[in-house]
Amino acid sequence: MKYYDKLIFELSKSGRTGYSLPESSCPACGEALPAALCRSLPLDLPEVSEPDVVRHYTNLSQMNFGVDTGFYPLGSCTMKYNPKINEEVTAAFGGIHPLQPEATVPGVTEIYREMDRSLAAITGMAHFTFLPCAGAHGELTGLMLVREYHNARGDFARTKVIVPDSAHGTNPASAAVCGLEVVVVKSDARGLIDVEALKPLLGDDVAAIMMTNPNTLGLFEREVREIASLVHACGGLLYYDGANMNPLLGVVRPGDMGFDVMHLNLHKTFSTPHGGGGPGSGPVGVAERLVPFLQRPQVSGFHGNFGVIVRAYAYILMLGRENVRMAGKLATLGANYIKESLKDVYKLPIGSVCKHEFVFDGLVNDGAHDDVPGATTLDVAKRLLDFGFHAPTIYFPLLFHQAIMIEPTETESLETLDAFIDVMRRIAEEAARDPMILHEAPHNTPIGRPDETAAARQPILCYH
Amino acid sequence: MMGKSAYFPHTDEDIRVMLDRIGVASLDDLYADVPQECLYRGEYDLPAAMSEQEVRDHFAALAARNLPLKVFVGQGAYDHYTPSVISYLTSRSEFLTAYTPYQCEISQGTLRYIFEFQSMMCRLTGLDVANASMYDGPTAAAEAMRMCIASTRKRDKVVVSADLLPHVLSVLETYARYAGIRLVKARDVLAELDAQTAGVLVPGIDRYGIVRDLTGFADAVHAAGALLVEYCDPSTLAVVRTPAEWGADIAVGDGQSLGIPLSYGGPYVGFIACREAYLRKMPGRLVGQTQDAEGRRCFVLTLQAREQHIRREKATSNICSNQSLMALWVTVYLSLMGPEGLRKVNALSSEGAHYLHDRLLATGKFAPAVEGPFLKEFVLRPLVDVPTLQQRLQDAGFFAALATEEGYVTFCVTEKHTRAELDAMVELIQSM
């Protein structure tokens, strides 16, 4: 990667154009707007040619890392390979207006119908809505459905949502946006929900519990069926956060664990590209008794991120009922392989078999000596960038101070995992010998560590 | 039975080596901690695996079943031209397959284009700051409604114009219902202002296509201690008076009109821009400029203490992602168009729309419905049977004359439409 310093505005030269539009074929109609309704501010958009634009954004792209560039051991993010056929088949649906009558788009409605059927088969839920545009959006939608369900029963006192301390930050945030109160349940020494701590929280004010299973430590909540019985007995519902669905793909169905509402992240489990932070898609599935409420919350403008849904459908067709059984297992295999290969040099707080991801709590030997502070998790992450790997998810979950959360996915080969393991061991050796190498990392990237404090203290958010 | 998936690199030998390292005998043993009753042993009710050629053919057949229609409807999704360069650049895998740019040292490409996107949204709206994007226009409006509540004290009411696009109103109603916000829908929004009002949300261009005169709105809303939010079509901001000029505090809308294909409604990209005073209440990601130790200019995600991964239930919003790739789409579009191109898009669309408007009225099959200045979109009162009209248009390959809830029909013209197409539509209607 090489450093490239321009912004598109800095290529601008008055009088240069990059557009190609037809000449007007209709008679000019005079000024359509009275002057009082017209823009009088200058419009400072870049004035650049088409070659300028292509070269600029190509140069920008070369400062980026992607799945096609290299390995992302990024916990809770499921950065699997994005098949190219998915992109190709989506292009044919670009010209369809969202308000066209259904009768004019039978191909589109069949994609929604088949996706509904397929996701129901994979998850054990009854039906899905495809309106949510991302995982957090799905959580919000799912909680709206929970509220609809209770309200329809005249049960208006259920205002609390129980969230484990290991949950993704979106869980409590979604509950708050949905007008619900968050109650945290602690994890026990095994890293699982403490069932004894849960019991006193249950009552007729509980709307739902939100669970991620396997949880963010990569551990399967083995008491899930007991938890389901307890929550259902008090009249609450179970919400399944599908961010960690990948290890269960083809092995375990959330419906069979007792969940009533769930979302899936099509951009994680179903291979659609992350696009540098979106667009995603977060379809929400429900058990039979919540189906009547499924279409009520209009949480996005039209029909959700249709283009993402098409890509996920292509992935499901490519996998088919045969290969779907292998996806989760191979993801779990990779995570356990890395864990076992590194646990002598990185602290493994919980040693049991993991699912798709696991969490280290920093280095066994961080190299701290005399005045030199030891290498931190941030240092390890930044040093990894020098060796052509993306960093793991760090400082999450919040249960461990030096958390390093690693998730390989099923599309990484043994050779890639071995190369990553070698580099992680080398970094551990460097830390033990001379932690300054890590403190000063990265060394081989287009920029070094930025001054984030300055960025936040006097924010520059717009080009002037 | 298909062979192994092309996406799984594992040989049988690889799996054996890995299981040995872990110290278990089989892949199933990796699930020994899962209770038996949770394991799914049945056949998955999914299609058999297809080869890539079969997948390609399958989608070609699905696409062929949709009627190919020329689109003359807007209502929040506009059929503007998409330059070839955009999909070429946005499909570069360094952009397409990248994660959220938390590791800024290897994400300067994403961070720079988001910074450019934020800057362009500021320039279009005239406001101080814009975020890295939202899911779509309607959800951006819902987040703006929440910002109004968060930016005022002990106020729970938001007044929204009944003339907003229907899909925007639906999403606002949804978010308000669960968040305990009192949403008051009104034609005369200023008449609803009171001491409980946190914000007023109005369209710059309403659902009839009329460019609204917001003179005096900001003063009235501010005098009541509330915030003014304008819902805009960003493409038209090249020519219409901007939210900043109207005195709005927040501007939201959908970037779809900036070159994003219709795609049956998504993915699109919402934007939210505001005055600096409301920056800390803003939802979602923000990219800021800074420098590294060697003084090189660089960009990072900043002010993250507003966001869910830090603040959890106290965050300004639950949103985690943005529609990053679609923000790139818009950024490349605006770079290509520049000020002159975007003005020309508006001029061509407006000329076509006024031409169609006048010719349709001249057929005698329509009467004027809502009077006021318009650009590319307008409504008429039909004097013919609407289902018959729509069917005739559809049979001739047009999607046009979508009915509104009052029984008007809407039309929209962009630079993609030729005079020959407009004439053909008019002649068809004339012959009814």
Side-chain angles (χ1 to χ4, degrees):
Chain A
M1 290 185 194
K2 71 172 195 286
Y3 181 65
Y4 164 77
D5 189 36
K6 294 287 189 217
L7 290 167
I8 191 73
F9 304 102
E10 293 160 355
L11 304 176
S12 183
K13 187 171 182 182
S14 181
R16 213 170 255 161
T17 56
Y19 68 87
S20 162
L21 290 167
E23 288 307 312
S24 177
S25 58
C26 297
C29 55
E31 292 305 320
L33 299 182
L37 299 183
C38 288
R39 179 182 183 114
S40 52
L41 279 182
L43 182 57
D44 289 330
L45 292 174
E47 295 180 70
V48 288
S49 68
E50 181 174 317
D52 290 336
V53 170
V54 171
R55 195 165 284 164
H56 174 70
Y57 289 100
T58 302
N59 278 320
L60 286 193
S61 78
Q62 290 175 343
M63 291 194 287
N64 252 16
F65 187 94
V67 172
D68 288 1
T69 321
F71 174 44
Y72 273 86
L74 202 58
S76 273
C77 298
T78 314
M79 296 297 288
K80 64 173 75 175
Y81 171 67
N82 312 130
K84 306 311 166 200
I85 184 72
N86 300 1
E87 302 300 313
E88 180 190 310
V89 299
T90 305
F93 300 89
I96 303 169
H97 193 280
L99 298 175
Q100 276 183 232
E102 269 198 24
T104 67
V105 290
V108 167
T109 47
E110 179 165 337
I111 290 171
Y112 277 101
R113 198 166 50 239
E114 282 300 300
M115 275 299 281
D116 183 39
R117 216 175 56 79
S118 300
L119 297 185
I122 287 168
T123 60
M125 308 309 279
H127 283 291
F128 277 78
T129 169
F130 291 87
L131 291 182
C133 296
H137 207 201
E139 292 171 18
L140 175 60
T141 309
L143 291 173
M144 288 173 176
L145 294 170
V146 166
R147 291 194 60 184
E148 291 291 337
Y149 170 81
H150 292 309
N151 288 346
R153 292 157 51 91
D155 198 353
F156 300 109
R158 297 188 178 271
T159 54
K160 290 182 178 163
V161 173
I162 299 173
V163 175
D165 54 6
S166 61
H168 298 115
T170 48
N171 289 184
S174 296
V177 173
C178 197
L180 294 162
E181 185 190 335
V182 176
V183 180
V184 175
V185 59
K186 294 241 170 294
S187 304
D188 61 18
R190 302 169 303 165
L192 304 176
I193 288 178
D194 185 335
V195 178
E196 290 311 312
L198 173 65
K199 284 176 183 169
L201 304 178
L202 297 174
D204 57 12
D205 57 352
V206 171
I209 182 170
M210 298 181 86
M211 283 178 70
T212 308
N213 196 16
N215 64 23
T216 59
L217 296 169
L219 304 173
F220 192 86
E221 296 279 2
R222 62 189 75 181
E223 279 101 19
V224 61
R225 299 265 297 196
E226 186 191 346
I227 292 170
S229 301
L230 289 167
V231 173
H232 285 149
C234 88
L237 296 176
L238 275 85
Y239 184 90
Y240 180 81
D241 175 345
N244 289 3
M245 178 70 195
N246 206 42
L248 304 193
L249 184 56
V251 187
V252 177
R253 306 192 311 170
D256 299 336
M257 291 190 276
F259 287 95
D260 305 287
V261 190
M262 68 173 294
H263 79 266
L264 288 166
N265 298 68
L266 297 186
H267 48 289
K268 294 179 180 176
T269 317
F270 294 91
S271 87
T272 73
H274 279 69
S281 174
V284 168
V286 295
E288 201 66 53
R289 59 184 165 147
L290 280 96
V291 170
F293 312 107
L294 196 56
Q295 300 308 323
R296 176 128 201 252
Q298 181 74 35
V299 292
S300 66
F302 295 111
H303 312 285
N305 282 340
F306 174 65
V308 180
I309 293 157
V310 176
R311 287 169 173 85
Y313 180 43
Y315 175 71
I316 287 172
L317 291 177
M318 288 292 292
L319 273 193
R321 61 173 170 260
E322 302 90 340
N323 287 313
V324 76
R325 287 207 168 275
M326 288 302 284
K329 288 178 184 174
L330 292 175
T332 297
L333 177 69
N336 279 283
Y337 180 73
I338 296 174
K339 172 168 72 75
E340 292 303 315
S341 303
L342 290 174
K343 67 180 185 184
D344 58 326
V345 286
Y346 291 87
K347 288 183 207 160
L348 182 64
I350 296 172
S352 49
V353 97
C354 68
K355 291 294 159 293
H356 63 307
E357 69 188 10
F358 63 92
V359 177
F360 285 134
D361 189 13
L363 288 152
V364 169
N365 179 358
D366 66 7
H369 63 275
D370 307 322
D371 300 341
V372 181
T376 64
T377 280
L378 180 67
D379 296 330
V380 172
K382 294 302 179 194
R383 185 65 176 137
L384 266 171
L385 307 182
D386 281 333
F387 293 99
F389 292 104
H390 197 276
T393 298
I394 53 174
Y395 301 110
F396 184 83
L398 310 174
L399 302 179
F400 305 109
H401 290 305
Q402 292 293 322
I404 304 175
M405 187 193 214
I406 294 175
E407 173 182 3
T409 89
E410 71 279 10
T411 62
E412 298 300 337
S413 69
L414 176 59
E415 287 77 6
T416 300
L417 300 187
D418 279 339
F420 173 71
I421 289 162
D422 286 349
V423 165
M424 285 289 281
R425 298 193 71 87
R426 176 173 166 176
I427 292 171
E429 284 163 23
E430 285 178 350
R433 195 175 65 242
D434 180 9
M436 285 311 291
I437 301 174
L438 272 68
H439 292 322
E440 288 162 6
H443 306 268
N444 306 329
T445 48
I447 58 161
R449 289 191 208 183
D451 186 344
E452 300 200 29
T453 315
R457 198 171 46 229
Q458 285 185 314
I460 304 172
L461 306 170
C462 177
Y463 180 75
H464 290 290
Chain B
M1 173 81 185
M2 283 288 296
K4 198 166 71 71
S5 165
Y7 308 147
F8 303 154
H10 309 67
T11 65
D12 292 345
E13 174 62 17
D14 292 343
I15 293 173
R16 175 52 43 208
V17 166
M18 294 165 82
L19 289 172
D20 286 349
R21 173 82 56 91
I22 298 163
V24 296
S26 72
L27 290 173
D28 288 337
D29 287 351
L30 296 170
Y31 293 83
D33 55 336
V34 177
Q36 290 294 312
E37 63 270 27
C38 291
L39 293 169
Y40 184 64
R41 299 184 195 283
E43 178 89 8
Y44 278 93
D45 182 18
L46 292 173
M50 290 184 184
S51 68
E52 190 174 292
Q53 182 180 324
E54 288 166 317
V55 169
R56 181 182 289 171
D57 293 346
H58 181 71
F59 278 95
L62 284 172
R65 289 176 56 198
N66 301 319
L67 284 188
L69 297 176
K70 289 210 177 296
V71 173
F72 292 85
V73 168
Q75 295 293 292
Y78 300 97
D79 193 19
H80 286 293
Y81 181 70
T82 303
S84 163
V85 162
I86 302 180
S87 64
Y88 175 82
L89 288 171
T90 55
S91 55
R92 283 190 69 89
S93 70
E94 300 92 333
F95 290 134
L96 182 68
T97 74
Y99 185 64
T100 303
Y102 290 126
Q103 295 297 328
C104 56
E105 295 89 346
I106 53 171
S107 310
Q108 284 298 300
T110 301
L111 289 160
R112 277 185 185 246
Y113 79 65
I114 293 177
F115 185 79
E116 292 175 350
F117 171 80
Q118 291 176 178
S119 303
M120 289 179 183
M121 292 302 114
C122 289
R123 286 164 184 223
L124 278 175
T125 59
L127 292 169
D128 305 324
V129 287
N131 82 354
S133 72
M134 310 301 291
Y135 304 132
D136 63 5
T139 59
E143 293 280 7
M145 170 179 72
R146 290 169 35 76
M147 277 177 78
C148 293
I149 299 286
S151 302
T152 51
R153 282 171 179 273
K154 294 184 179 171
R155 293 176 179 231
D156 66 345
K157 175 174 149 185
V158 173
V159 182
V160 300
S161 166
D163 298 331
L164 284 159
L165 289 161
H167 73 307
V168 178
L169 283 172
S170 297
V171 174
L172 286 170
E173 282 164 1
T174 298
Y175 273 71
R177 182 160 71 239
Y178 299 97
I181 297 171
R182 262 194 309 137
L183 193 76
V184 175
K185 199 165 78 172
R187 291 221 106 91
D188 181 2
V189 290
L190 299 184
E192 299 293 334
L193 280 171
D194 59 22
Q196 276 73 53
T197 306
V200 174
L201 215 157
V202 294
I205 298 179
D206 65 24
R207 62 204 183 100
Y208 311 110
I210 306 296
V211 181
R212 302 291 287 251
D213 186 343
L214 301 177
T215 304
F217 275 58
D219 287 344
V221 170
H222 292 153
L227 279 68
L228 179 64
V229 184
E230 182 184 336
Y231 192 92
C232 352
D233 170 356
S235 174
T236 64
L237 289 179
V239 294
V240 303
R241 198 169 160 88
T242 60
E245 290 167 294
W246 288 125
D249 302 289
I250 304 173
V252 292
D254 204 311
Q256 184 276 335
S257 60
L258 299 171
I260 296 178
L262 295 168
S263 305
Y264 200 58
Y268 293 169
V269 56
F271 71 89
I272 186 160
C274 68
R275 297 191 185 281
E276 188 147 19
Y278 303 107
L279 171 61
R280 309 270 162 178
K281 304 293 182 194
M282 202 176 237
R285 294 171 177 158
L286 282 166
V287 170
Q289 180 183 318
T290 185
Q291 54 184 24
D292 70 3
E294 292 180 34
R296 282 176 293 212
R297 178 171 61 171
C298 57
F299 298 86
V300 294
L301 289 169
T302 193
L303 302 179
Q304 294 186 62
R306 300 164 298 107
E307 292 186 70
Q308 48 75 30
H309 61 286
I310 311 283
R311 291 293 299 282
R312 299 176 80 83
E313 67 267 26
K314 295 190 177 62
T316 54
S317 165
N318 71 323
I319 195 168
C320 174
S321 62
N322 58 329
Q323 301 272 110
S324 203
L325 198 75
M326 309 320 291
L328 174 61
W329 197 284
V330 163
T331 306
V332 175
Y333 177 84
L334 288 172
S335 300
L336 290 168
M337 287 296 150
E340 189 182 308
L342 200 58
R343 280 194 285 264
K344 191 163 179 189
V345 164
N346 277 279
L348 289 169
S349 303
S350 175
E351 282 168 17
H354 283 84
Y355 176 73
L356 181 66
H357 175 266
D358 294 352
R359 287 215 60 195
L360 286 174
L361 278 179
T363 63
K365 314 279 186 189
F366 302 94
V370 184
E371 296 292 339
F374 65 93
L375 289 170
K376 63 190 168 193
E377 192 168 17
F378 60 88
V379 294
L380 295 173
R381 184 191 304 280
L383 304 175
V384 292
D385 179 58
V386 172
T388 309
L389 169 69
Q390 291 171 331
Q391 190 61 51
R392 291 288 293 277
L393 287 166
Q394 189 179 303
D395 293 344
F398 298 111
F399 174 50
L402 184 74
T404 70
E405 63 186 37
E406 312 81 341
Y408 305 150
V409 287
T410 78
F411 294 86
C412 180
V413 182
T414 72
E415 76 282 8
K416 277 176 79 171
H417 302 125
T418 65
R419 181 172 178 172
E421 288 166 351
L422 301 177
D423 287 339
M425 195 195 314
V426 171
E427 277 153 32
L428 177 80
I429 292 171
Q430 185 75 71
S431 72
M432 276 183 70

